[in-house]
Amino acid sequence: MSTMNYWKYASYPTVGLTDRTWPDKTITKAPIWSSVDLRDGNQALPIPMSVDEKVEFFKLLVSVGFKEIEVGFPSASATEFAFARKLIENNLIPDDVSIQVLTQSREHLIRRTFEAIKCAKNAIVHLYNSTSRQQRDVVFRMSREEIITIAVAGTRLVRELKEASGNPGIRFEYSPESFTGTELDYALDVCHAVMDEWGASAENKVILNLPSTVELSTPNVYADRIEWFCRHIKDRSAVLFSVHAHNDRGTAVATSELAMMAGADRIEGALFGNGERCGNMDIIIMALNLMTQGIDPKLDFSNLPHVREVYSRCTRMTVHPRHPYSGDLVYTAFSGSHQDAISKGMKAHKRAPDVWDVPYLPIDPQDVGCTYEAIVRINSQSGKGGVAYVLEKEYGIQIPKWMQPDFGSVVQEVTDRTGDELSAEQIHELFQKAYIGGAKPYLMKKCTISWSDEDPDRNDEVATLVSSSMVGPDGEFSFKAKGNGPLDAFVRGMTSHTGIGFHVDEYSEHSIGHSSDALAISYIRLAFDDGALVCGSGIDSNISLASIKAIVSALNRYKRS
Ligand code: KIV
Ligand code: ZN
């Protein structure tokens, strides 16, 4: 038996639209964006922004490319009023940007709102009143007709004040607030009455904003409502349909996207989804979702860390580490299989850079101003491929495939034991400690290599001579040995002096760095007569010495094991 009180809740009505067309539509262009950060976002903050903070935030929104910005509810507080005036009087509003101001449908508030926008070149007066059954019955105790009268009276006053202002740059937006709780046919009646009063036409459009004031159902039902509305509105050409989705069910982005497919022209939302309760629709997510489909989002989020910094400072809100596109961990893989796929994908991307196609990364972090640095991070969940990726990216050390399991287990031992994440620097230290510079029991004090005088290109058993001074478990010793190359000669010399039987099973080398002082690094796997396979590595400016050091490294690891 369920312990949850599910029986307290009623299911949300569906629209009954059987011939819906939106599921077959795709989004092909960005909507008209409207930021409500400075109004809806601000009114939801424990400590609302000061005028100076709002100015800084406004400038950020302008720099990102918003052309419609709801700057506040000027009739509601002195700060909001002062902010609107500051923007206008200090010429902070670019000519191609419209400020938007919210007002309830009440005479004194509408009049005060017009005072706030005096001399603004472009402004949208956003009028709202609540229309839902719940608010009519519980909050206002008013009939359907009385609610329509409020909307129409407000619209009339806005029209008259616009006419009196003589400002052609004033536009009108109407929101039947709590639209998601409003019967569709009734919401349509309210909007038709508002359109009539406004004299809406193709030349004098009204913005009808149909808010998901409280998110009450799945996005598909909301999309049905928008398609139904677009079909039933009396003059579609006289209307810009706008959507303002809150995130109570965590689906505000999907709601807005599906609403666009259903006919919405304009989208309201806020950066990082700030806003009442669970927030407004996150415009960054929706814009970058468009970008990942190859659509120009018409907003510039190429420096997301900067946007986030200004946002966090002005609002005192944090961004969750898993927040889509913006969180600290969203471009990071800890798990071995993901790291392996990403590392292969990044290599493939270098070869074919035109279209982004890297597993687990729907977007190139560099396109939003992030680096590749944090893509692969190492903890106990990580694999050898991830460890190799970090060493290669940060230190140019390209551990060969056959050696990766060996170093992977060195790292795994530490992460399992400590439970901690390892930085690139710590991984590098582990590599150095495991392979480079080990001096026990064997230390190579000196080694010279010479080639046969007669023919330097000779490549037979006696072509190369290695003379080496060593320290071993029983003290110093030295040898001269010949071979078909430095490695071969050194192996022969060491075997005859130590009695340890081994041969080179795998070998690879490359240079680190590009300048004239570049170093060479060698990787080696020795196969010992007792069946042990042991890896080693050596670094030197001389490639032959690097490979001999790699043998000493493997011998020491064999002896210690
Ligand atoms: O969420 C809402 O309905 C609003 C309106 C004022 C548009 O913020
Ligand atoms: Zn809202």
Side-chain angles (χ1 to χ4, degrees):
M1 205 184 76
S2 173
T3 52
M4 299 300 290
N5 292 339
Y6 62 88
W7 43 266
K8 277 169 67 176
Y9 303 92
S11 69
Y12 187 82
T14 53
V15 180
L17 197 68
T18 50
D19 56 347
R20 58 180 70 78
T21 62
W22 63 261
D24 293 325
K25 303 270 169 60
T26 46
I27 303 173
T28 54
K29 63 176 177 71
I32 301 165
W33 300 109
S34 170
S35 152
V36 296
D37 289 85
L38 296 169
R39 194 277 297 171
D40 207 320
N42 188 50
Q43 74 188 38
L45 293 175
I47 304 171
M49 287 181 258
S50 65
V51 170
D52 285 348
E53 284 164 342
K54 285 188 94 173
V55 168
E56 184 177 0
F57 207 120
F58 179 82
K59 288 181 177 167
L60 174 77
L61 294 168
V62 168
S63 73
V64 158
F66 283 97
K67 301 296 175 208
E68 298 186 4
I69 301 173
E70 192 162 79
V71 296
F73 198 149
S75 62
S77 87
T79 311
E80 300 280 280
F81 189 90
F83 173 60
R85 290 313 309 155
K86 183 160 188 169
L87 291 180
I88 296 163
E89 285 162 19
N90 293 349
N91 286 321
L92 295 174
I93 310 164
D95 281 353
D96 62 347
V97 170
S98 296
I99 55 165
Q100 182 172 313
V101 279
L102 184 73
T103 176
Q104 282 178 357
S105 190
R106 294 163 71 183
E107 182 177 346
H108 67 291
L109 300 180
I110 296 171
R111 289 190 185 281
R112 181 83 176 139
T113 304
F114 269 81
E115 284 168 30
I117 59 168
K118 207 165 165 197
C119 297
K121 185 163 187 281
N122 295 303
I124 298 170
V125 176
H126 181 182
L127 180 89
Y128 78 94
N129 66 321
S130 208
T131 54
S132 69
R133 193 264 325 138
Q134 187 188 52
Q135 299 250 5
R136 293 192 315 260
D137 292 354
V138 179
V139 183
F140 300 105
R141 294 169 186 268
M142 282 186 182
S143 67
R144 287 180 168 216
E145 291 68 31
E146 284 169 311
I147 294 289
I148 292 184
T149 305
I150 292 175
V152 170
T155 305
R156 184 176 311 127
L157 186 55
V158 173
R159 181 171 51 72
E160 287 167 0
L161 291 175
K162 175 188 164 161
E163 279 161 16
S165 76
N167 183 350
I170 293 177
R171 288 186 285 150
F172 178 54
E173 171 173 348
Y174 172 72
S175 289
E177 202 246 18
S178 59
F179 167 74
T180 36
T182 306
E183 305 86 334
L184 263 183
D185 53 351
Y186 175 60
L188 186 69
D189 289 347
V190 179
C191 289
H192 279 163
V194 164
M195 283 172 75
D196 288 345
E197 183 58 51
W198 182 249
S201 66
E203 295 71 41
N204 183 30
K205 288 185 199 293
V206 61
I207 300 170
L208 287 182
N209 187 45
L210 304 177
S212 180
T213 302
V214 180
E215 190 169 53
L216 296 175
S217 84
T218 48
N220 62 307
V221 175
Y222 186 79
D224 276 357
R225 288 172 69 89
I226 297 297
E227 180 162 340
W228 183 94
F229 223 91
C230 289
R231 281 195 211 174
H232 288 82
I233 200 79
K234 59 178 177 183
D235 182 359
R236 180 68 182 84
S237 70
V239 176
L240 279 175
F241 275 113
S242 175
V243 165
H244 170 115
H246 280 270
N247 198 36
D248 302 81
R249 297 166 56 102
T251 52
V253 171
T255 293
S256 305
E257 289 175 333
L258 267 49
M260 267 193 81
M261 290 157 64
D265 309 292
R266 181 180 186 272
I267 298 289
E268 295 192 350
L271 304 185
F272 305 100
N274 188 32
E276 295 279 17
R277 305 180 307 282
C278 312
N280 281 94
M281 200 283 302
D282 183 336
I283 287 194
I284 298 177
I285 298 181
M286 188 166 167
L288 293 176
N289 282 355
L290 289 177
M291 185 164 113
T292 64
Q293 303 306 301
I295 298 166
D296 180 354
K298 304 275 185 199
L299 290 176
D300 181 356
F301 291 118
S302 60
N303 192 351
L304 214 38
H306 169 68
V307 174
R308 187 176 134 170
E309 190 278 318
V310 176
Y311 165 81
S312 310
R313 192 158 37 75
C314 292
T315 63
R316 291 161 277 273
M317 298 292 279
T318 53
V319 175
H320 193 278
R322 302 244 176 252
H323 197 101
Y325 300 111
S326 316
D328 280 338
L329 291 180
V330 299
Y331 303 112
T332 297
F334 287 104
S335 108
S337 61
H338 288 208
Q339 291 177 343
D340 189 48
I342 289 173
S343 139
K344 286 176 180 149
M346 294 292 278
K347 280 192 179 133
H349 178 66
K350 268 194 182 159
R351 292 191 297 272
D354 282 355
V355 175
W356 181 254
D357 190 22
V358 176
Y360 301 109
L361 291 178
I363 189 170
D364 183 345
Q366 285 190 340
D367 287 340
V368 288
C370 300
T371 61
Y372 291 149
E373 232 160 72
I375 289 186
V376 169
R377 283 170 52 177
I378 305 300
N379 64 13
S380 59
Q381 304 299 306
S382 313
K384 53 190 183 333
V387 170
Y389 176 87
V390 170
L391 272 189
E392 175 167 357
K393 205 171 66 59
E394 301 296 324
Y395 295 95
I397 295 175
Q398 300 161 22
I399 306 179
K401 268 228 142 356
W402 48 263
M403 189 168 162
Q404 288 180 9
D406 194 78
F407 184 50
S409 58
V410 170
V411 173
Q412 189 76 36
E413 191 278 321
V414 177
T415 51
D416 274 340
R417 182 162 39 77
T418 62
D420 286 344
E421 183 190 348
L422 293 180
S423 66
E425 199 182 340
Q426 288 169 311
I427 293 165
H428 187 233
E429 269 168 31
L430 281 180
F431 181 82
Q432 298 273 347
K433 199 165 156 216
Y435 302 109
I436 313 287
K440 279 201 174 129
Y442 295 108
L443 170 69
M444 190 183 72
K445 289 183 72 182
K446 196 172 168 205
C447 185
T448 53
I449 304 160
S450 53
W451 282 268
S452 159
D453 290 344
E454 297 138 33
D455 177 3
D457 290 335
R458 264 177 69 189
N459 186 20
D460 60 27
E461 294 238 318
V462 291
T464 311
L465 175 71
V466 165
S467 309
S468 205
S469 304
M470 306 287 300
V471 179
D474 304 321
E476 295 199 10
F477 66 97
S478 55
F479 62 80
K480 285 185 194 310
K482 287 179 176 174
N484 61 13
L487 267 186
D488 184 45
F490 190 80
V491 170
R492 286 168 190 249
M494 279 303 277
T495 301
S496 63
H497 274 80
T498 62
I500 305 169
F502 65 94
H503 66 271
V504 176
D505 174 57
E506 291 280 6
Y507 176 78
S508 104
E509 67 190 31
H510 64 83
S511 60
I512 312 178
H514 299 291
S515 56
S516 54
D517 57 356
L519 292 172
I521 181 164
S522 299
Y523 312 90
I524 208 152
R525 188 164 70 192
L526 300 182
F528 290 86
D529 289 356
D530 62 3
L533 290 173
V534 183
C535 294
S537 180
I539 299 179
D540 200 281
S541 53
N542 177 300
I543 184 64
S544 300
L545 283 179
S547 44
I548 287 172
K549 283 182 178 177
I551 296 179
V552 178
S553 152
L555 271 171
N556 282 337
R557 296 186 77 232
Y558 172 68
K559 277 296 196 183
R560 286 202 299 267
S561 63

